[in-house]
Amino acid sequence: MYQKLAGMTGTAATEAEEFHKIYNLDVVVIPTHRTMIREDFADSVYKTPRGKYGAIVADIIECHKRGQPVLVGTTSIEKNEIISEFLKRKGVPHQVLNAKNHLKEASIIADAGKKGSVTVATNMAGRGVDIILGGSTHEKWEMDDAKAWEDEQKTWKKLHDEVLSYGGLHVIGTERHESRRIDNQLRGRSGRQGDPGTSRFYVSLEDDIMRLFGGDQVARLMTIFKLPEDVPLEHGMVSRAIEQAQVKVEGFHFDSRKHLVEYDDVLNKQREIVYRKRRKILEGESQKDEILANIAREISNVVALYADEKGTSVEREKIVTEFISIIPFDPASQQQLLKQLEQMHAGPEITEFLTKISADIYETREKQISPELMRQIERWVSLQVIDSFWMEHLDAVDDLREGIGLRGYGQLDPLVEYKNEAFTMFEQLMAGVDGEIVHRIYKVQVATAPPGQAPINTQTPIAESPITKAAKMMRTNTSEQAIAQPVVNVGKKLGRNDPCPCGSGLKYKKCGLINAPEHRK
């Protein structure tokens, strides 16, 4: 829906193909402001998770002893707890972040660059916060005393230089993720703005990514070289095997997302049609002509169902029953209407007669309650029906999507079947919306109230004597100074977004009928 689409991220390069194929967007890599000098070590591959975790803890302890800050990135809270338990046994002080308390964790991650700090975090913990070597400092505008700020900056500069001398932030990945982009995000926490830093990933042959893709080849190598579980295999071929495995997984997820977009495009086109229709109503476009046309079509369909053109088979009682479901008549008027129809034989004659009655009632009602209020009623009814039917349609389409994949077992393309059925459902939706508006528009009752008072809960019949004269229909208890108002139904609480009963045309929450009596004046 946007004419221009763009974004910025540090890890889009690995997803360039997907951006281009799905969104028709090009990915351009912008050089860093300062040269990136972080050193990314080759992956260390171990036979068992026990050997891997032992090596990770040994690496953390070594960095902690010399004062180099460490950030350990894990794939889950469970892995966080495993690393934390190992560190507790070794007596290494550390912080564990599980992306539960974002405000607190943001301040912790900001200080993850302090001398000797050890931070164990999931992927989501502390996102959006830079790790500043030497710890975070206040901005100048945050401190009232300029001298105090300068003293703090001098202290921070010493701490910063000290951490730089230890090699900057060391990032440890406890396993490779399914996506290279997430690995790059973790690595990118180190080496910011030209700072030094290091990173290393530790991999076990029992990790998901290795077990599913390429782990057998590496396992054979380790068996040939008779490597014990605590001795890592570090080789370019191993790193390439891991990267190929990640590319395969990324390709699988890419296909899934592309499939999802293809399915969502179907619903998106329907969404555009419904929202365009809704927008026209909200902007005040008159619905009168469309509603009258729908009423005429509904009557024509009813008559066509119960009467033929020659008049040999006319079920007049059923026609009257269907007609009064659109326009509520009193029992006497129903009998009078039935007698009128008994004098008619052909279906077209009955259709013309009933259509004229419905149009006359509509016009008479509009004169009685004013065109402005009639437009409000049309808008209110239309929006209520569209919203209600659209929500039900979304649920139905979701249910359809969940089970449509089973059509593949019948040698049918699920996507084609989904498009066909969703189109049929949407046609039914639009027809249902028009029909429901037709059946509701005559049933919105009006009440009157003297100026400055709340609407009276008097409900007047919409149709009083529809056969004799349309002018006698829908008579309300109006006086010379009375103002027609929408009825407030007893026992039904008004919603915040419902039209205000004062007839202003505003939403109830905006108008303030109760708290702003001067508005009604």
Side-chain angles (χ1 to χ4, degrees):
M1 295 173 69
Y2 293 91
Q3 292 180 351
K4 293 184 179 179
L5 186 66
M8 185 173 288
T9 171
T11 54
T14 57
E15 315 299 330
E17 181 186 4
E18 182 170 344
F19 278 116
H20 182 71
K21 286 187 176 179
I22 294 184
Y23 305 103
N24 198 27
L25 289 175
D26 292 326
V27 174
V28 178
V29 178
I30 300 173
T32 55
H33 173 53
R34 296 192 175 109
T35 304
M36 203 277 289
I37 59 174
R38 182 186 69 239
E39 186 176 1
D40 298 323
F41 296 115
D43 295 352
S44 294
V45 182
Y46 289 82
K47 263 189 174 182
T48 63
R50 184 173 59 182
K52 179 182 75 170
Y53 285 124
I56 290 172
V57 173
D59 194 359
I60 294 172
I61 292 173
E62 184 183 343
C63 292
H64 178 67
K65 283 181 178 177
R66 66 170 177 265
Q68 184 177 12
V70 180
L71 173 66
V72 183
T74 66
T75 56
S76 66
I77 294 176
E78 181 187 2
K79 302 292 173 59
N80 259 14
E81 300 300 333
I82 292 173
I83 297 292
S84 177
E85 188 61 34
F86 273 112
L87 294 176
K88 285 177 183 176
R89 291 177 185 176
K90 297 293 184 179
V92 179
H94 61 281
Q95 296 279 2
V96 179
L97 308 183
N98 292 328
K100 290 182 178 178
N101 188 336
H102 299 292
L103 189 62
K104 180 182 176 184
E105 294 189 3
S107 63
I108 292 173
I109 204 78
D111 287 334
K114 282 185 175 179
K115 175 185 175 182
S117 67
V118 177
T119 310
V120 184
T122 60
N123 293 325
M124 294 306 298
R127 291 287 290 275
V129 183
D130 259 344
I131 297 176
I132 301 172
L133 300 184
S136 60
T137 60
H138 292 95
E139 297 290 343
K140 190 172 184 179
W141 55 269
E142 292 180 309
M143 300 182 69
D144 297 329
D145 190 344
K147 180 69 169 57
W149 181 79
E150 289 176 2
D151 292 341
E152 184 187 73
Q153 291 300 305
K154 289 177 183 177
T155 304
W156 171 81
K157 187 69 169 63
K158 292 178 182 177
L159 295 172
H160 177 73
D161 292 342
E162 189 177 5
V163 173
L164 289 182
S165 67
Y166 300 140
L169 179 67
H170 180 50
V171 171
I172 294 176
T174 58
E175 64 182 271
R176 282 286 194 167
H177 298 81
E178 290 183 343
S179 171
R180 290 170 295 166
R181 184 177 61 85
I182 302 177
D183 289 344
N184 291 341
Q185 284 178 344
L186 178 59
R187 273 199 167 121
R189 307 308 293 268
S190 175
R192 308 296 282 266
Q193 293 294 319
D195 285 338
T198 53
S199 71
R200 185 189 296 275
F201 279 88
Y202 289 84
V203 180
S204 159
L205 294 182
E206 296 181 24
D207 291 347
D208 291 340
I209 192 75
M210 295 300 292
R211 187 166 43 83
L212 295 174
F213 300 96
D216 294 341
Q217 299 175 6
V218 181
R220 277 197 297 271
L221 276 177
M222 298 186 80
T223 304
I224 291 170
F225 292 118
K226 297 180 179 179
L227 293 176
E229 68 173 18
D230 59 344
V231 175
L233 176 63
E234 296 178 4
H235 194 277
M237 189 195 74
V238 177
S239 298
R240 285 194 297 272
I242 294 172
E243 190 167 329
Q244 288 171 2
Q246 289 176 308
V247 170
K248 288 179 183 177
V249 177
E250 288 169 0
F252 171 76
H253 290 309
F254 166 51
D255 290 338
S256 299
R257 286 190 291 269
K258 188 178 181 182
H259 194 59
L260 186 66
V261 169
E262 289 172 343
Y263 274 78
D264 193 60
D265 279 344
V266 177
L267 193 58
N268 194 50
K269 288 182 174 63
Q270 297 179 2
R271 188 181 293 113
E272 288 174 2
I273 294 170
V274 171
Y275 277 44
R276 195 181 306 122
K277 182 181 180 72
R278 203 173 181 280
R279 173 60 58 188
K280 288 180 180 178
I281 297 171
L282 287 170
E283 290 174 350
E285 184 175 305
S286 174
Q287 302 296 301
K288 179 181 177 180
D289 293 340
E290 184 178 344
I291 290 175
L292 287 174
N294 290 334
I295 293 169
R297 184 165 55 251
E298 190 76 16
I299 292 171
S300 178
N301 291 339
V302 168
V303 176
L305 184 62
Y306 297 113
D308 57 18
E309 294 186 4
K310 296 180 180 179
T312 56
S313 174
V314 180
E315 300 179 69
R316 294 175 180 82
E317 290 187 0
K318 290 184 178 180
I319 292 176
V320 171
T321 301
E322 293 290 342
F323 187 67
I324 64 175
S325 71
I326 299 174
I327 306 175
F329 286 12
D330 56 61
S333 298
Q334 292 178 34
Q335 292 300 318
Q336 190 177 356
L337 177 61
L338 185 58
K339 289 179 182 178
Q340 292 278 348
L341 295 187
E342 287 175 350
Q343 300 173 12
M344 303 174 189
H345 300 290
E349 186 181 358
I350 296 174
T351 300
E352 184 180 353
F353 174 70
L354 295 179
T355 303
K356 174 116 180 17
I357 288 178
S358 64
D360 288 346
I361 293 175
Y362 204 94
E363 295 292 343
T364 303
R365 186 185 193 198
E366 183 175 321
K367 290 177 183 176
Q368 286 181 342
I369 66 175
S370 81
E372 293 78 13
L373 185 55
M374 195 64 193
R375 299 294 84 78
Q376 289 181 34
I377 291 173
E378 291 167 356
R379 190 180 307 121
W380 179 66
V381 170
S382 298
L383 289 174
Q384 270 205 335
V385 171
I386 289 172
D387 291 351
S388 174
F389 274 58
W390 178 241
M391 286 188 290
E392 291 179 6
H393 178 72
L394 290 177
D395 290 338
V397 170
D398 280 343
D399 293 340
L400 172 66
R401 185 187 292 187
E402 283 183 10
I404 202 70
L406 298 174
R407 304 286 178 90
Y409 292 109
Q411 305 302 314
L412 299 172
D413 186 341
L415 181 59
V416 173
E417 292 295 303
Y418 174 76
K419 287 181 178 178
N420 291 337
E421 294 216 14
F423 177 73
T424 302
M425 291 169 64
F426 185 68
E427 284 189 322
Q428 293 172 351
L429 164 74
M430 299 307 288
V433 166
D434 292 340
E436 185 66 18
I437 292 173
V438 166
H439 282 79
R440 282 195 194 185
I441 195 71
Y442 288 98
K443 296 172 185 174
V444 177
Q445 298 179 331
V446 292
T448 58
Q453 291 186 15
I456 303 170
N457 289 325
T458 350
Q459 299 184 357
T460 20
I462 296 296
E464 190 181 328
S465 179
I467 308 303
T468 54
K469 196 76 176 173
K472 289 186 176 181
M473 303 168 202
M474 302 156 25
R475 187 168 293 160
T476 53
N477 301 324
T478 56
S479 62
E480 291 182 1
Q481 297 179 340
I483 299 175
Q485 306 285 358
V487 141
V488 179
N489 291 326
V490 179
K492 180 181 178 182
K493 186 178 179 181
L494 280 173
R496 286 167 50 79
N497 292 315
D498 287 342
C500 185
C502 76
S504 65
L506 299 173
K507 292 182 179 180
Y508 186 64
K509 65 182 179 183
K510 292 286 182 68
C511 181
L513 176 67
I514 297 173
N515 298 322
E518 69 278 359
H519 176 73
R520 296 195 300 276
K521 297 177 184 178

